[in-house]
Amino acid sequence: MAKIIECIPNFSEGRNEEVINGLVEVAKSVAGVTLLDYSPDESHNRTVVTLVGDDKGIQEVAFQLVKYASENIDMTKHEGGHPRMGATDVVPFVPIKDATMEECIEISKAVAKRINDELDIPIFLYEESASAPQRVNLAKVRKGQFEGMPEKLKEEEWAPDYGERKIHPTAGITAVGARMPLVAFNVNLDTDDVTIAKKIAKAVRGSSGGYKYCKGIGLMLDDRNIAQVSMNMVNFEKLPLYRTFETIRFEAARYGVNIIGSEVIGLTPAKALVDTAEYYLQIEDFDYSKQVIENHIIG
Amino acid sequence: MAKIIECIPNFSEGRNEEVINGLVEVAKSVAGVTLLDYSPDESHNRTVVTLVGDDKGIQEVAFQLVKYASENIDMTKHEGGHPRMGATDVVPFVPIKDATMEECIEISKAVAKRINDELDIPIFLYEESASAPQRVNLAKVRKGQFEGMPEKLKEEEWAPDYGERKIHPTAGITAVGARMPLVAFNVNLDTDDVTIAKKIAKAVRGSSGGYKYCKGIGLMLDDRNIAQVSMNMVNFEKLPLYRTFETIRFEAARYGVNIIGSEVIGLTPAKALVDTAEYYLQIEDFDYSKQVIENHIIG
């Protein structure tokens, strides 16, 4: 059965159609890889590409995209609203099916080494692939951005994981790593008081003492005049969706507020929802990989 | 692309390891066939085997398994909590990929004929393969069970579809047919009173006025000393699992009984559980085919 790995590289170009189309062409050119989505953002001047493939194909397509970006994006001329440090800013590998986190870490290191060997772009490993605790969080790795990187690389603790202590003159530096799939999960409340959603977000998110694998904010949905807890679930196996949902339910209850619905934005692995069904139906001893028929048919 | 057909034969042996292992060996011996799962159940004294294969292989493996069962299971000595009428009780063929229901009906008839020709076991065709409306439903076909079959076969309307009006002395009679995928779903209750499980089964199953696409019985799990509502969900899209589960919850409540767990036996399509998660999380506007990442990888 073929392993399936997702890769979601972010490129520092969201305006020049020729370059964006070039990225898409490269994304479609590698056997064993499917382009699921690409989202250019003009204001961020950034394009997020979503690919799935087998373990060989995903490494090849990631390298070829980084190569294309290094030849067609000049960071010395880049402007945009999103923090960035390289022509290819970040390359995460995500285990989807029959692939372990360990395999994705290995893949991230192999691709990182090849990028540095063949393109002379230095690499920070991040998230699960990080070589030190301060390199896990992308925001910390990227701090200083493209313009500040030459100085940052001179600091004792910020030698690249691959390459010398100097950026590529036009392609900058790239973060490569492995992480769990992320589920964008929002919960809607029957209140127009956004402070309640903010308090609940604070209760559930890791950064303020809640669940380690939940990031979240409270916001208003102006068109519906309701408050929402908007979250990224960054490890649905360690923090299942239902647990956050039920926590929001009992936190909301203290304000006399009820959940009126939820949203899953974009893609989710089936397992995130199957795990949740297992909880509510109280299924005993369910074996996801064996009992879900699609797992035997793919590949 | 090869057609993929699923076959889920049920055998009346769930205790004798030698016979169960023998079935597994036969299941693994046919080219073009993958053994996905086998679940022996001691209390039911029954083993459900799940196979997928191409149209040729699936017919061969089904026949070889029925042959092995006829040589190694003696129904005159069989005891168990589940209704049964043959050493091989039932052999359904299910279209999974690039195969039509019509093809599965043809396959079921070809296998039924071969079983009768070579093993002298009479056959009822059932479900989509049935030759009369009263033969569609397996429970009606099986009514009377092994012990009552000699009398039943003498009734005008119960001549076997293949074979004479007499059972095989030790292997009984077998139902062969084609059907849509089903989910075997059991709900466990915190009572040792089987009559409560029986009353609840009556409330939820279509045959006694409940949900049309639910079949169910109440039985005891002797090893755990609890009662169970044992069901086949024959169309999880028209009757989602959660609806049956919540109905059992409120029916049990009138007896002061609670649900303590459930079981999904064998394989399930992911969608049956994702639909259930959607319900409990109150997800708005979820698009299964677009938003579940695995769906972009199949085919």
Side-chain angles (χ1 to χ4, degrees), chain A residues 4 6 34 36 50 52 96-97 185 188 224 241-242 245-246 249 259-271 273-274 276-278 280-286 288 290-298, chain B residues 4 6 36-37 52 96-97 185 188 224 241-242 245-246 249 259-274 276-278 280-286 288 290-298:
Chain A
I4 294 171
E6 188 185 10
T34 305
L36 294 188
T50 307
V52 287
I96 296 294
K97 209 179 84 60
F185 182 50
N188 298 331
R224 295 172 65 179
L241 268 59
Y242 73 80
F245 186 80
E246 292 298 334
R249 195 201 302 279
I259 290 172
I260 54 172
S262 75
E263 305 168 355
V264 171
I265 306 295
L267 291 173
T268 176
K271 190 167 188 297
L273 293 172
V274 170
T276 282
E278 273 182 69
Y280 286 107
L281 296 181
Q282 301 170 232
I283 305 177
E284 302 170 2
D285 300 324
F286 190 75
Y288 180 80
K290 277 173 87 175
Q291 290 190 256
V292 170
I293 193 162
E294 287 87 341
N295 291 338
H296 299 276
I297 298 167
I298 297 172
Chain B
I4 296 175
E6 188 186 7
L36 295 188
D37 187 53
V52 287
I96 296 293
K97 199 176 169 200
F185 182 50
N188 298 332
R224 295 173 64 181
L241 268 59
Y242 73 80
F245 186 80
E246 292 299 333
R249 195 201 301 279
I259 291 172
I260 54 172
S262 75
E263 306 168 355
V264 171
I265 305 296
L267 289 177
T268 175
K271 190 167 188 296
L273 293 172
V274 171
T276 282
E278 272 181 69
Y280 287 107
L281 296 180
Q282 302 170 231
I283 305 178
E284 301 170 2
D285 301 324
F286 190 76
Y288 180 79
K290 276 180 150 176
Q291 290 190 258
V292 170
I293 193 164
E294 288 88 341
N295 291 338
H296 297 278
I297 300 159
I298 299 174

